[in-house]
Amino acid sequence: MFGIQGRLTLLFVVIVTLVLGISGTYAQYSLGHELEVSSQRLREGVLTRLQTSLPSALWDLDKAKVDNIVAAEMMPPELVSIRVYDTSVGLFSGKLRNENGTITSIENDAAVGGTPVVADLAYRDSGAAGAALKPVIVGRVVVNFSRAQIDATLAAEVRRKVTEVLLLDLILVAALALSLRIVFDPLKRLRDGLFDLATRGSDEVEELPDSRHDELGEVIRGFNAIQRKIKSNIQRIREAEDEARKSAQATAKAMDDLRRTQESLLQAERLASLGGLVAGVAHEINTPVGIALTSASVLMEATEKVQASVQDGNIKKSDITRYLETASESTRLIMNNAYRAAHLIHSFKQIAVDQVSEARRRFELRDYINEVVSSLQPKLKKTRITVDIACPPDIMLDSYPGALAQVITNLTLNCVEHAFEPEDEGRITIGVAQQGDWIEMQVTDNGKGIPPDMLDKVFDPFVTTRRGQGGTGLGLNIVFNLIAKQFGGSITVSSVLGQGASFVLRMPCVTPADDTTLHADARLHV
């Protein structure tokens, strides 16, 4: 197994090799691209010049001129051969570059190496009147180009880059081997000292020499200082262990006190919820009762005026008409607000009774959810949040309505307090579906969601995101305990940050009567 020194050397060699390889590959690609572009320009230039100068000479069948033109174009070493063909006689003229670089004439149409490029030779002449005639194809030229120069240049560049990489790697390995010894030799001594300290004890280990005046010298002096402190720390640890034993006993007693305090806080939270319900009832009923009282006062005052006019004998038709209008409007206001107050009292009465008595009874689920949500209107009307209820009719439960009201109230108010900012518009949906002898209730919102690090802790006691702002962290813990222990069901939560949260409750339509069945069903459906 390589040590740190070997791994560092290997790492630096790999990095340098990769960097040089990447740069060399890019340089190779750039060089190849430049050579290809240069070769393409050469091809285009040769063909352009041949198509310009050869047609007139070929038209005149001037072989000497054609040979001179072809010989002049054979100067670049990339050209292997140039063959000029006449349309009637075939091969008219040609030059070939031999392997030794000499240029000779081609006497027959034998195979030639290189990449052939064919171009037509068009002759343009003017007529008797000086008008340009249609170009006449008088022959063709075949030029063979060689890639030997490009391949040789690229191969030489590859050899140069490989040699450069190998040379730099050798220099780097030698430099690292010498320089890293300055660091690793003192580290080996420090390692041996630490090993002795761990196996033999601080009393038997001698201090390391600290004559160096560099960073490693500081490390060694620090090691010696740590060794000197270990003896005193061992004594302190023994004393701390004695104190820890005493603290463990005190902690056990404090845990018992904390459990009792938690149970008291849970009960106080439920009573506080009931107190909030009563305060909301008082505030909500105060408005329709006040309007009814004011309307009755107006009606009584109008009646007294009419009675006085009748007794005086100067009653008028306009007075009677005005009185009837006042009486009609007042009675309408009295009836509407009295009905509103009666409806509120009816909605709140059963909820309050259920929360106080905790009695078990049969009840219709949808109507009861509507009554619970109605009892929350004093809180909801101060926000821009709407609550939708999607529950089929005729779902009957044989359970504890007070505990269920506590669950719905805590979940709804939890959404109001934590899912939305005070001025945000939002929507809370309470959906219910019956699945055989069980119901599934889903309370969802479209708020800001629960952070991922809080999802696993939302049902723990005293966990809240509004610490110091009125949040106790007990609302969802009460919900969890009621669902799991009193209803024998289960509750889960899911959330995507910024897309709201969803609480899914599963509970039996008929709550089991004994604790054994409750806990078994709860485990079965978690």
Side-chain angles (χ1 to χ4, degrees), residues 42-294:
L42 176 63
R43 294 179 186 182
E44 293 175 355
V46 169
L47 289 176
T48 301
R49 289 191 295 273
L50 290 175
Q51 287 179 311
T52 303
S53 57
L54 283 177
S56 59
L58 195 61
W59 176 266
D60 296 333
L61 298 178
D62 189 348
K63 189 175 187 306
K65 184 177 181 181
V66 172
D67 289 340
N68 291 334
I69 294 173
V70 171
E73 293 295 339
M74 285 293 294
M75 295 300 295
E78 288 84 354
L79 271 73
V80 177
S81 68
I82 300 177
R83 289 170 289 175
V84 180
Y85 292 89
D86 182 68
T87 55
S88 58
V89 300
L91 180 63
F92 187 80
S93 176
K95 297 293 182 179
L96 172 67
R97 187 184 305 277
N98 296 319
E99 294 181 357
N100 56 7
T102 61
I103 298 175
T104 60
S105 299
I106 299 176
E107 301 300 336
N108 52 42
D109 198 5
V112 180
T115 303
V117 178
V118 181
D120 291 331
L121 300 176
Y123 176 72
R124 292 176 176 81
D125 193 10
S126 56
L133 297 179
K134 183 178 180 180
V136 178
I137 302 299
V138 296
R140 60 189 174 89
V141 61
V142 179
V143 183
N144 286 64
F145 293 91
S146 173
R147 290 184 51 87
Q149 292 293 328
I150 296 177
D151 295 338
T153 303
L154 293 177
E157 182 67 16
V158 169
R159 289 192 296 271
R160 188 184 69 81
K161 287 294 183 181
V162 170
T163 303
E164 179 181 342
V165 170
L166 293 176
L167 182 60
L168 287 176
D169 285 342
L170 290 175
I171 294 174
L172 180 63
V173 169
L176 287 175
L178 294 175
S179 60
L180 291 179
R181 288 185 59 187
I182 301 174
V183 177
F184 284 97
D185 286 348
L187 286 180
K188 289 178 182 178
R189 292 196 297 271
L190 182 60
R191 178 202 60 192
D192 296 338
L194 289 172
F195 183 77
D196 292 340
L197 182 63
T199 54
R200 294 194 296 176
S202 60
D203 296 336
E204 303 176 6
V205 179
E206 297 181 357
E207 294 186 3
L208 298 178
D210 55 357
S211 57
R212 296 176 63 98
H213 298 286
D214 53 14
E215 290 82 356
L216 289 175
E218 294 292 334
V219 174
I220 293 174
R221 283 187 285 275
F223 168 76
N224 293 333
I226 291 174
Q227 182 180 349
R228 288 191 293 269
K229 286 187 177 181
I230 284 179
K231 295 180 180 179
S232 61
N233 288 341
I234 290 175
Q235 182 61 32
R236 293 177 184 176
I237 289 173
R238 293 194 183 102
E239 295 174 357
E241 288 176 349
D242 295 336
E243 292 294 331
R245 294 188 189 96
K246 298 177 182 178
S247 298
Q249 298 174 355
T251 301
K253 183 178 181 300
M255 285 297 296
D256 294 337
D257 295 339
L258 180 61
R259 292 191 187 96
R260 288 192 293 271
T261 303
Q262 180 178 346
E263 293 174 358
S264 300
L265 287 174
L266 291 175
Q267 185 64 24
E269 180 76 10
R270 297 188 65 183
L271 293 177
S273 176
L274 181 59
L277 174 64
V278 173
V281 170
H283 178 77
E284 194 72 11
I285 293 179
N286 183 62
T287 300
V289 170
I291 294 175
L293 181 60
T294 302

Side-chain angles (χ1 to χ4, degrees), residues 386-438:
T386 58
V387 179
D388 295 334
I389 301 173
C391 178
D394 301 329
I395 296 180
M396 300 300 298
L397 297 186
D398 184 357
S399 188
Y400 300 92
L404 182 60
Q406 184 77 43
V407 168
I408 298 173
T409 298
N410 284 13
L411 288 176
T412 304
L413 294 184
N414 181 75
C415 294
V416 172
E417 294 293 337
H418 299 282
F420 306 98
E421 296 297 332
E423 300 300 325
D424 289 347
E425 291 185 2
R427 183 175 299 277
I428 301 172
T429 302
I430 303 176
V432 179
Q434 186 168 7
Q435 300 172 350
D437 295 333
W438 289 72

Side-chain angles (χ1 to χ4, degrees), residues 297-316 319-320 322-324:
S297 299
V298 172
L299 180 59
M300 183 178 69
E301 182 179 351
T303 302
E304 290 175 352
K305 288 182 180 180
V306 170
Q307 287 177 346
S309 298
V310 171
Q311 291 174 358
D312 294 341
N314 57 356
I315 187 71
K316 299 178 182 179
D319 294 336
I320 296 175
R322 190 181 308 111
Y323 172 74
L324 291 176

